[in-house]
Every structure is written in structure tokens, then in C-alpha cells.
Amino acid sequence: MDRNEIAEVLNRPLSQEMLARDLTRLAYVAKDGTPRNIPISFSWNGSQIVMCTTTNAPKLPALRANPMVALTIDTEVHPPKILLIRGRAELDVVDGIPDEYLEMNTTYEMTPEQRVHWEAEVRSLYDQMVRIVVTPTWAKLIDFESTLPSAVEELFQQREARQHA
């Protein structure tokens, strides 16, 4: 998939809505060779998905060994809206708390006092964090109205071919 095709998918209004959500599912291959899929907060900066984690997170050695990842951002309603993204994770250790981490956690319902306490707690806990940055190399939006999973599209095509045979 080339950059223009990826941009076309990610610039659709529904994709932009999905990229404004606060949770994605990060899939990667663990060090023992088995798959992992974890929920993680994220932010979209217009060209990359940014996630932040602790410097001792078990996923980091796995991502260093195999940086290829898949992300799923979806809704909890029927029919679901699903944005699928694949890419390569780049790890960036930063001192203190990345701005993205504070921004991605603003959607949680907190009173201003709770927010101040939460941020103070975060700042006291983390001397460093790791930014996991994924630049999309593939993207697909599934809304079950104008776009479907490729296997379902194939079944529709087969049914149409049978009906016209």
C-alpha cells in the first residue's frame, strides 16, 4: 500500500473520528513467539500513532526484537466501525513524561482536582517513559456499509457471480 492510499483511508471522516478515540489494541509478537494484543492509550499526530509506556514494560524487548505491529481502533456498537493499521514500532526513551501521554489521558472523566492529583502522581512515578511511535504502512477502514472485511467482500463477489451465471 503506498502513502497516498494510506492517506486516503486515514483522512476519511470516519477514520478521523476513530483516530480521535483514546484506546487502541496493539498486537505484536512476544519474545516467546506467541501473539499479544493489549489495550493501550494513544494519540494521533496527523501522521503517526503515538503510545507511551513504562521503561520496564514487557512489550519493549519484544518490540525491539520484532517491531512489526498491528493496531485496531473500534467501536462497541453494532455494526462496529473498525480502523485497522499496520506499521513498524519505533521506540524513543524520553526523560520525564511525554506531552502525548498527558494529552492522551485528557479524555478520562476527572474533576480538575482529580486531574491535578493524577498528574502529580504520574510525574512522581516516572523518571522516563518510552514513546512507541507507529507510522502506518497499511490501513483499512471497515464500516459494514461502504467497506467490509476482504473475506466478506469476496463472498459477496462469489454470490454475485453465481447469480449471474
Side-chain angles (χ1 to χ4, degrees):
M1 191 170 217
D2 72 32
R3 288 181 191 206
N4 291 333
E5 292 171 310
I6 296 166
E8 189 278 320
V9 170
L10 296 178
N11 288 327
R12 293 178 192 165
L14 181 55
S15 293
Q16 290 295 300
E17 185 179 314
M18 301 301 284
L19 290 165
R21 294 178 65 89
D22 56 6
L23 196 66
T24 186
R25 288 161 184 80
L26 170 65
Y28 64 96
V29 178
K31 289 287 284 179
D32 65 3
T34 61
R36 297 287 193 278
N37 192 338
I38 61 164
I40 187 169
S41 296
F42 77 97
S43 67
W44 170 248
N45 66 17
S47 61
Q48 300 168 316
I49 298 278
V50 179
M51 299 157 281
C52 298
T53 193
T54 62
T55 56
N56 63 341
K59 63 185 151 292
L60 296 176
L63 292 171
R64 285 184 183 102
N66 181 354
M68 302 312 292
V69 299
L71 302 166
T72 300
I73 306 166
D74 56 355
T75 62
E76 299 80 25
V77 297
H78 186 78
K81 309 300 184 225
I82 306 165
L83 180 59
L84 303 171
I85 297 172
R86 294 181 203 149
R88 180 183 187 90
E90 295 180 25
L91 307 179
D92 180 24
V93 178
V94 296
D95 290 331
I97 310 300
D99 291 339
E100 294 98 342
Y101 185 75
L102 297 174
E103 291 167 13
M104 69 182 67
N105 287 290
T106 59
T107 59
Y108 297 127
E109 292 183 22
M110 290 187 240
T111 65
E113 295 81 22
Q114 288 171 323
R115 176 74 184 179
V116 167
H117 178 73
W118 173 82
E119 191 169 325
E121 190 69 21
V122 166
R123 290 188 186 283
S124 73
L125 190 59
Y126 301 108
D127 291 331
Q128 292 183 316
M129 289 190 88
V130 178
R131 292 173 71 247
I132 303 169
V133 181
V134 177
T135 301
T137 58
W138 180 92
K140 180 164 184 163
L141 178 65
I142 300 172
D143 64 10
F144 289 94
E145 294 170 8
S146 60
T147 57
L148 298 166
S150 57
V152 176
E153 287 175 353
E154 185 178 317
L155 291 175
F156 272 106
Q157 292 168 355
Q158 290 171 2
R159 182 179 69 185
E160 181 127 340
R162 284 191 311 270
Q163 289 174 345
H164 291 95

